[in-house]
């Protein structure tokens, strides 16, 4: 039986990146895993994930959640460092 961590490993994303997608899209974790995997491996998907993370950061800041915004900045920084810039808008 596969665990959610096993499925996340197939996505080329981290659990924190999947969590941010789930937060942004209001999805259950496993559905966010599927969406994240599709985005990470499709044209324009990397740019979409960057946009999702940036939106999450702005939303957290707008609601006075500075700590969460800082966590998301670290998630975005890690994502940008580990994924090619190709396809980013």
């Amino acid at each position: 039986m596969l665990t959610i961590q096993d499925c996340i490993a197939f996505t080329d994303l981290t659990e924190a990146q999947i969590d941010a997608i789930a937060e942004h899209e209001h999805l259950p974790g496993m559905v966010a895993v599927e969406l994240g995997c599709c985005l990470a491996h499709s044209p324009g998907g990397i740019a979409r994930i960057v946009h999702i993370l940036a939106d999450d950061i702005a939303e957290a800041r707008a609601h006075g959640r500075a700590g969460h915004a800082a966590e998301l900045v670290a998630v975005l920084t890690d994502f940008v460092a580990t994924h090619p810039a190709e396809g980013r808008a």
Side-chain angles (χ1 to χ4, degrees):
M1 177 183 268
L2 291 174
T3 66
I4 194 163
Q5 286 76 24
D6 294 328
C7 294
I8 290 170
F10 288 118
T11 68
D12 294 328
L13 300 172
T14 66
E15 187 171 350
Q17 292 161 357
I18 295 294
D19 289 344
I21 292 169
E23 177 182 333
H24 186 268
E25 300 296 323
H26 308 285
L27 297 172
M30 194 61 208
V31 177
V33 170
E34 294 175 44
L35 176 59
C37 187
C38 288
L39 289 174
H41 298 102
S42 67
I46 298 298
R48 177 73 180 126
I49 294 171
V50 168
H51 182 75
I52 286 170
L53 294 169
D55 278 356
D56 284 351
I57 293 164
E59 182 76 12
R61 287 179 176 158
H63 288 92
R65 298 170 57 210
H68 186 53
E71 291 169 358
L72 290 167
V73 167
V75 172
L76 176 59
T77 300
D78 179 58
F79 182 78
V80 168
T82 58
H83 290 80
E86 183 179 355
R88 263 191 231 146

